[in-house]
Amino acid sequence: MPIDFDATSCVVSVNVSDYDRSVRWYREVLGFELAYELADYGWCELRTPFGFTVGIGQSEEVTPGTIVPTFGVHDIDAAIAHLREHDVRVEDWHELPGMVRLSTLYDPDGTAWMLAQRLDDDRSVRG
């Protein structure tokens, strides 16, 4: 059985060295709209006009050009099992309690992709 993707959730994640500066830049320069924010974690999601969101995450180390697409799934355990049945290198999920479970998988060239299962349906902006 194929992966049960959550078609309402596709995030392209970008690590940034200065969270506040980057959020302002994506909003003011590109015009993206703040959709979801966990300021205490240095994380937000910005709506684009392209049908996906850009996730901005504070990081101590930033490698320019490193962007990780993150696909929403309804059942991360089933998705991981499916990938492992196809000999895909995939990490066990880790959880931000009450918010999301995340797992990284790698394509045949070693490019990282992520899966995310939302645990909190409240997608409002929070400070």
Side-chain angles (χ1 to χ4, degrees), residues 104-118:
T104 303
L105 65 119
Y106 303 88
D107 76 6
D109 291 310
T111 301
W113 299 77
M114 290 189 78
L115 300 176
Q117 178 185 342
R118 291 181 183 165

Side-chain angles (χ1 to χ4, degrees), residues 56-75:
I56 304 296
Q58 176 69 43
S59 181
E60 291 187 20
E61 281 189 40
V62 175
T63 302
T66 303
I67 296 174
V68 181
T70 304
F71 302 122
V73 296
H74 292 286
D75 182 343

Side-chain angles (χ1 to χ4, degrees), residues 10-57:
C10 179
V11 179
V12 176
S13 302
V14 180
N15 289 333
V16 299
S17 61
D18 183 328
Y19 176 79
D20 293 325
R21 177 192 68 196
S22 295
V23 170
R24 274 192 314 277
W25 187 86
Y26 280 89
R27 292 183 75 191
E28 294 171 9
V29 176
L30 297 183
F32 295 170
E33 177 185 333
L34 187 63
Y36 180 73
E37 183 173 41
L38 293 170
D40 292 345
Y41 286 91
W43 173 260
C44 75
E45 294 178 13
L46 301 156
R47 255 186 227 99
T48 73
F50 308 106
F52 65 90
T53 60
V54 172
I56 304 296

